[in-house]
Amino acid sequence: MSNDQKLSTALIDEEATRSDVLSQVERQVILLVRRTQKVHLHGRGPDGGRPLERSGYAILGLIYDRGPQRPGELASYFRLYASTISRQVAHLERAGLATRVPDPEDRRACRMTLTAAGEESLVATRARRREAVRGILGSWPSKDQEDFARLLGKFNRDMAELEDATPAPPGSTTAETAPRPPRRGVRIQ
């Protein structure tokens, strides 16, 4: 076999290995997402312990982290249609986890804020989720934990950049006219 043929074979093998690795990563991401699809709220709130869709959990987390948000800001941040956010927010209100308050900057508008039960449930859920992660990673060497956190953070940042480069859905509230809020560090929620 000539050197050119050997090099060609090595490149093909390397590409096949890379393709296999990417396939493995893609499968693992699917499994991770599937396993974290449902979030169970904990605490004494009216919805404590009942399943909450991940979108509701994400909305509660954003409001908790950033303070009261207009529904349009939520739609823009999550790149969703206003009608989708309206349904999700209505569900959180019915569950007693969030409520509307007047917007101090514009009395015609409202902002979503957490109720005491919503905050209690979110804080308790985050604590339990973090404890579960500690339990999973606890037997890993510190270096592996650090590498995993670093690489998962890098993966999520790159995914966010890809998402930011993708046009928002037509008709989504303020997504076409206002920039998305800046992304902050990846947090385990």
Side-chain angles (χ1 to χ4, degrees), residues 79-153:
R79 298 180 73 100
L80 295 171
Y81 293 103
S83 61
T84 302
I85 283 291
S86 292
R87 281 190 304 277
Q88 293 169 348
V89 163
H91 174 75
L92 294 173
E93 286 182 289
R94 283 190 306 275
L97 301 171
T99 190
R100 295 173 193 268
V101 295
D103 186 334
E105 297 172 15
D106 181 354
R107 291 288 181 195
R108 297 170 298 170
C110 69
R111 291 186 178 268
M112 298 307 302
T113 190
L114 300 183
T115 62
E119 184 172 336
E120 178 184 332
S121 294
L122 180 72
V123 169
T125 299
R126 281 185 171 177
R128 287 215 178 152
R129 289 172 62 94
R130 287 182 180 134
E131 189 58 38
V133 170
R134 271 187 216 92
I136 293 167
L137 300 181
S139 64
W140 292 20
S142 294
K143 175 82 169 95
D144 287 356
Q145 291 180 28
E146 292 164 9
D147 287 347
F148 182 67
R150 180 181 53 78
L151 291 171
L152 189 58

